[in-house]
């Protein structure tokens, strides 16, 4: 497997860097570039040139964990992924968000704990976040013993303002992570409150 790279380039918009996936297409050094929607403030010292960063072990591990959730890799030993496939591009987007966005704590918007049946959390789980403005759907991209890092799959807003747009990277206490069935509009058997 050839190594993958992130290409960091200055956007036309002043002060912004954009992230693309750079995938070698041959041994001669040719590469195909696939843009993502991920951007971050530019470091003034970076200049106008592009920088290529090799995927870290964490990037590769998260990518494989997420691919394993949506594609059955056990049925065939050699599975080829099509980078132009919408699902694969969505996974690359999630990996880029995790790598280049700093997680923001959601503490001030969290609601009181809900007593419900819980399962052990894993990376790639679809979950709902227990906030005072609803229970938006998110996906877990990192875990430690206390917190979960999640990416919102829908925006979080209250009546007056947007709290966090879709694809925000948020850090929340594990107790505020509920099964996906709690997400608004998706209440079902898995959303039992005791």
């Amino acid at each position: 497997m050839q190594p993958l790279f992130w290409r960091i380039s200055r956007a036309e918009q002043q002060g912004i860097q954009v992230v693309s996936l750079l995938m070698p297409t041959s041994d001669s050094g040719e590469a195909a570039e696939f843009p993502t929607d991920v951007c971050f403030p530019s470091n003034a010292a970076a200049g106008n040139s592009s920088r290529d960063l090799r995927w870290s072990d964490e990037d590769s591990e998260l990518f494989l964990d997420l691919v394993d959730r949506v594609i059955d890799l056990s049925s065939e030993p050699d599975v080829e992924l099509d980078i132009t496939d919408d699902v694969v591009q969505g996974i690359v987007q999630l990996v880029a968000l995790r790598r280049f966005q700093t997680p923001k704590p959601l503490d001030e918007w969290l609601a009181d704990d809900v007593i419900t049946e819980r399962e052990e959390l894993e990376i790639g789980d679809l979950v709902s976040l227990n906030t005072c403005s609803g229970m938006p759907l998110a996906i877990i991209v990192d875990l430690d013993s206390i917190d979960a890092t999640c990416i919102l799959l829908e925006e979080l807003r209250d009546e007056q303002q947007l709290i966090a747009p879709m694809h925000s990277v948020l850090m929340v206490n594990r107790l505020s992570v509920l099964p996906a069935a709690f997400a608004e509009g998706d209440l079902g058997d898995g959303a039992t409150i005791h």
Side-chain angles (χ1 to χ4, degrees):
M1 182 172 158
Q2 294 187 354
L4 299 174
F5 292 86
W6 297 113
R7 175 159 284 170
I8 313 301
S9 307
R10 183 178 293 273
E12 292 177 13
Q13 182 180 352
Q14 189 71 11
I16 299 292
Q17 299 271 45
V18 294
V19 178
S20 298
L21 171 66
L22 195 61
M23 178 185 249
T25 56
S26 69
D27 293 332
S28 64
E30 294 178 33
E33 189 172 343
F34 299 93
T36 70
D37 294 332
V38 179
C39 60
F40 56 91
S42 176
N43 179 352
N48 290 328
S49 61
S50 296
R51 295 178 295 149
D52 295 342
L53 302 173
R54 189 174 181 146
W55 270 39
S56 67
D57 290 340
E58 292 82 11
D59 293 338
S60 298
E61 195 173 302
L62 177 58
F63 179 80
L64 291 174
D65 284 344
L66 296 174
V67 165
D68 191 41
R69 292 297 183 116
V70 295
I71 299 171
D72 183 12
L73 298 176
S74 63
S75 61
E76 294 182 39
D78 295 327
V79 175
E80 268 190 47
L81 297 177
D82 180 3
I83 193 66
T84 61
D85 182 81
D86 289 342
V87 172
V88 175
Q89 285 186 356
I91 292 171
V92 168
Q93 176 85 7
L94 293 173
V95 175
L97 284 164
R98 175 63 185 109
R99 171 78 183 261
F100 295 102
Q101 298 292 319
T102 302
K104 295 179 180 146
L106 195 61
D107 298 340
E108 69 181 270
W109 294 100
L110 295 178
D112 293 335
D113 291 345
V114 172
I115 299 172
T116 185
E117 291 181 28
R118 297 176 189 259
E119 295 180 8
E120 187 63 33
L121 298 175
E122 294 182 13
I123 291 176
D125 282 351
L126 287 177
V127 295
S128 179
L129 303 181
N130 184 19
T131 75
C132 54
S133 296
M135 297 182 181
L137 191 64
I139 187 168
I140 296 177
V141 293
D142 197 13
L143 288 168
D144 64 28
S145 60
I146 298 170
D147 296 314
T149 302
C150 303
I151 296 175
L152 281 180
L153 299 179
E154 55 191 28
E155 61 184 31
L156 174 60
R157 61 172 51 248
D158 65 11
E159 294 168 4
Q160 289 86 27
Q161 67 180 339
L162 177 66
I163 299 166
M166 185 168 67
H167 294 151
S168 293
V169 182
L170 304 172
M171 183 174 293
V172 297
N173 185 291
R174 282 176 172 246
L175 293 176
S176 296
V177 176
L178 299 172
F182 278 87
E184 293 181 286
D186 195 23
L187 288 176
D189 295 335
T192 304
I193 296 175
H194 295 282

